[in-house]
Amino acid sequence: MSFNSREGFTLIELMVYIALLGGIVLLAGQAFSDSTKMRVRTQSMLQANQTAGNVGTILKEDIAQLGAKSSKEAGGGTMDVFNTDHIHDVYMDPDATEDADKDSSSFTIVKNDDGDGRDKITMRRLRYSDAGAYQAVEEVTWFLEDRVLKRSCKSTSALVEDAECPSENASVVTIAEHVDKFSLTPAKPTTEVASVSVLPSSSESDKNFKLVSRFGDENFEPVTIAPEEGGTSIKLSGFSMNYNFTTSEPISNPDMIKANQVFVSSLGSSLSSWGAQCIQVTLSPYIEYEISFSMPYSATDDPSRMFCPGRDHMAVGFRYAENGNKLDGLSDFQFYPPTVGDERDTGLRKMRFTTNTTYENVCLGFTFVSFSPVASSGNITISNVRLRKVPSSNYTFTDEAIATADKKNVKAIKLELSINKNGEAGAETAIISIPSNGPRD
C-alpha cells in the first residue's frame, strides 16, 4: 500500500469548478435582477392603473353632481317644500347682457392652448345637509400643475361652513402625481335623435293612459280611480290608512301595514288582473330611460298636503307582471306631492336611470303607503305619464368649441387620464353623464 496516493481535485479541476460556479452565480444573479425589475415594473404599472382608476372615481362623483340646484326645506307644519332660490348661483353666467353669452350650464372647461391634454374644469352645485336642506353653493375646480393633479373647492352663499370647502381661500388638495394627460371633452349637443317614447304609447302626441289597481295579494288594497276608463289625467283617492287611533301612533307591524299600488295600462284594456292589463315593457341595459309625470297642485285644504316626508311613502318603479315582485338592482324612485302652488313646484316629476341587465315583461307602477291619520283621505292627481328612452348614449365628442348658449344641453363629458409611475403608464377613459346640467334638469 502506497502512502503517497491521495484523493482530491487537481488544480485544473478546481479551476473548472470555480468557473462553472461563477457562471451559475452570474446567471442566478441576472435572473434575480430581471425578476426584481419585472416585479418593480409590475408594481409600478398596477399602482399607475389603480391611481388612474381612483382619480376617475372621484372625478365621476364631482361631475355627476354638477348642476344640482334644488333643495328640500322645512315648510309650515309637517310639510316640506322644494327650494330653488339659489338656481342662478349654480349657473355659470345666466344673466349676460347678450343672449349668445348667457350661460345656463354649470361647468366651464378650459383647454390648454398646446392641446396636450392639460385641461381645467370648474363645476358648480349645491351642498346639502343630511336631510337634503341647502347649505351652500360649491365651486369645484380640477387642474394640472407641474404634472400634479389638484382639486380646489370654495363655497359661496354659504349658510353652513365646511372646512373642506370654505368660503374664504379655496381648499386645495393633491389628487395624483405624475399625471401626463388630463383631458376633458364635452359631448356635442345634438337634436338629430329625439327621445323615444316607450309607454303609454310610442307616439309622443298620445297622452292617454289608464291606471289599474293591484289588490288581492299580499297587503295591497284597491284605490279609487277616476275616471276608470282612463284619460290624460287621473285622480286617485281612498288610500289605505296605517294609523292606530287607539294608541295614537302609526302601525309598525309589517304584517298589518296596507299599501295601494296602481299600474300604467293602455285604454280599452279588459277587466282582468292588473298583471294582464298593465303595459309590459323590456328594459335594455346601458340605455338611459326617463320616467316623467305631472302631479297638479291640490286645493289648499286637500288632506294630501299633510303628507309627512320620512313616514308616508310615495314611489314609482317597476314590477314583474307575472308576480308583482320588485326588480333586483333597480330601486323605486320616491317623490313628494306638490306642497306649494307657485313656480317652486309645478308638479312635474322626472327620474332617469340606466341598468346593466335586461328586464323583461315589467310594468310601471305607483306605490302609496300612508301612515298619517289625515293624508290618506286626500286626492292625488297624476297626468302625462311617460317612459322614454333618452338618446344620451348617442354622444358625439368633439374638440370644436361649443357655443356658450348650447352648453346647457351638454349631458356628458369624456375623461381621458394618463399617469406615469416609474416609466409605467396607467390610463383611465370614461364617459361621465351629467343629467343635472342645464336649466330644465
Side-chain angles (χ1 to χ4, degrees):
M1 184 175 183
S2 172
F3 292 99
N4 294 327
S5 176
R6 297 181 179 178
E7 295 183 359
F9 297 104
T10 66
L11 180 59
I12 294 177
E13 290 174 332
L14 186 59
M15 292 177 66
V16 171
Y17 171 76
I18 293 174
L20 291 173
L21 182 61
I24 293 173
V25 170
L26 181 62
L27 291 174
Q30 184 64 43
F32 177 77
S33 177
D34 291 343
S35 176
T36 301
K37 291 179 180 179
M38 182 61 68
R39 177 172 56 82
V40 171
R41 288 190 60 187
T42 301
Q43 289 179 342
S44 297
M45 187 182 300
L46 290 174
Q47 289 175 0
N49 279 292
Q50 183 179 11
T51 300
N54 292 340
V55 171
T57 299
I58 299 172
L59 181 59
K60 288 175 190 177
E61 292 179 358
D62 274 349
I63 291 180
Q65 296 176 52
L66 79 80
K69 54 183 73 73
S70 63
S71 56
K72 185 184 73 173
E73 307 297 338
T78 60
M79 295 180 295
D80 288 342
V81 298
F82 287 91
N83 190 315
T84 57
D85 289 347
H86 301 279
I87 190 168
H88 272 55
D89 299 330
V90 175
Y91 297 148
M92 302 311 290
D93 189 8
D95 301 317
T97 303
E98 300 294 332
D99 288 343
D101 297 330
K102 291 181 178 180
D103 189 347
S104 294
S105 72
S106 299
F107 75 95
T108 297
I109 293 177
V110 178
K111 308 290 286 187
N112 188 275
D113 293 337
D114 296 334
D116 56 359
R118 291 181 291 153
D119 298 342
K120 174 182 178 180
I121 182 171
T122 299
M123 303 164 276
R124 292 179 184 169
R125 77 300 181 80
L126 295 192
R127 182 172 76 240
Y128 304 96
S129 69
D130 292 339
Y134 171 82
Q135 288 189 333
V137 174
E138 291 185 342
E139 184 170 280
V140 178
T141 301
W142 287 62
F143 60 98
L144 267 180
E145 191 175 82
D146 297 328
R147 296 185 66 216
V148 177
L149 184 60
K150 297 182 179 181
R151 177 186 185 273
S152 72
C153 186
K154 184 177 181 180
S155 295
T156 62
S157 308
L159 293 179
V160 180
E161 288 294 336
D162 185 347
E164 296 182 358
C165 196
S167 297
E168 300 289 339
N169 301 322
S171 172
V172 181
V173 296
T174 296
I175 298 296
E177 298 178 341
H178 313 295
V179 177
D180 286 338
K181 183 178 184 180
F182 180 65
S183 176
L184 298 161
T185 308
K188 182 180 180 181
T190 176
T191 57
E192 295 175 359
V193 182
S195 297
V196 179
S197 178
V198 178
L199 66 76
S201 169
S202 59
S203 172
E204 285 285 340
S205 61
D206 184 2
K207 301 182 182 300
N208 291 294
F209 68 102
K210 182 179 177 181
L211 293 178
V212 293
S213 187
R214 175 185 181 182
F215 59 92
D217 59 330
E218 298 186 10
N219 291 354
F220 293 103
E221 294 193 341
V223 66
T224 301
I225 301 173
E228 291 186 5
E229 65 274 14
T232 60
S233 182
I234 298 176
K235 180 182 290 186
L236 303 175
S237 60
F239 298 99
S240 300
M241 180 179 61
N242 296 285
Y243 190 84
N244 189 329
F245 283 97
T246 302
T247 60
S248 297
E249 60 184 14
I251 295 173
S252 58
N253 185 341
D255 295 330
M256 298 179 62
I257 294 176
K258 300 173 182 179
N260 306 110
Q261 201 167 66
V262 293
F263 289 88
V264 179
S265 172
S266 57
L267 300 185
S269 56
S270 60
L271 295 176
S272 56
S273 68
W274 70 267
Q277 292 189 69
C278 67
I279 301 174
Q280 299 182 24
V281 299
T282 296
L283 302 178
S284 302
Y286 314 118
I287 291 177
E288 187 173 16
Y289 291 90
E290 179 184 86
I291 302 170
S292 64
F293 58 93
S294 293
M295 299 182 67
Y297 176 72
S298 299
T300 303
D301 58 350
D302 189 279
S304 67
R305 299 184 72 244
M306 298 304 293
F307 178 91
C308 183
R311 183 169 64 181
D312 296 325
H313 179 86
M314 290 188 184
V316 61
F318 295 89
R319 299 292 186 273
Y320 285 105
E322 179 183 10
N323 50 29
N325 290 343
K326 284 186 175 183
L327 282 56
D328 291 336
L330 185 59
S331 301
D332 289 354
F333 297 93
Q334 296 190 41
F335 57 89
Y336 295 79
T339 55
V340 291
D342 57 25
E343 69 280 358
R344 287 179 293 177
D345 190 348
T346 62
L348 179 62
R349 303 287 185 262
K350 287 185 178 182
M351 297 86 172
R352 289 187 178 183
F353 66 94
T354 58
T355 77
N356 57 7
T357 187
T358 300
Y359 299 104
E360 297 181 341
N361 303 321
V362 299
C363 299
L364 180 66
F366 296 84
T367 303
F368 306 89
V369 187
S370 179
F371 293 92
S372 300
V374 179
S376 60
S377 62
N379 299 283
I380 294 294
T381 300
I382 298 177
S383 61
N384 300 321
V385 176
R386 186 72 60 180
L387 174 66
R388 297 181 177 90
K389 291 180 181 179
V390 182
S392 56
S393 57
N394 300 316
Y395 297 133
T396 300
F397 296 94
T398 176
D399 290 329
E400 298 177 2
I402 294 176
T404 300
D406 289 336
K407 282 176 58 188
K408 62 181 180 292
N409 298 316
V410 171
K411 297 301 178 186
I413 292 176
K414 180 171 69 172
L415 163 68
E416 295 176 283
L417 178 69
S418 178
I419 295 177
N420 192 304
K421 181 74 173 179
N422 297 326
E424 299 300 326
E428 174 80 1
T429 300
I431 307 300
I432 309 171
S433 62
I434 43 175
S436 294
N437 181 58
R440 296 192 178 185
D441 297 297

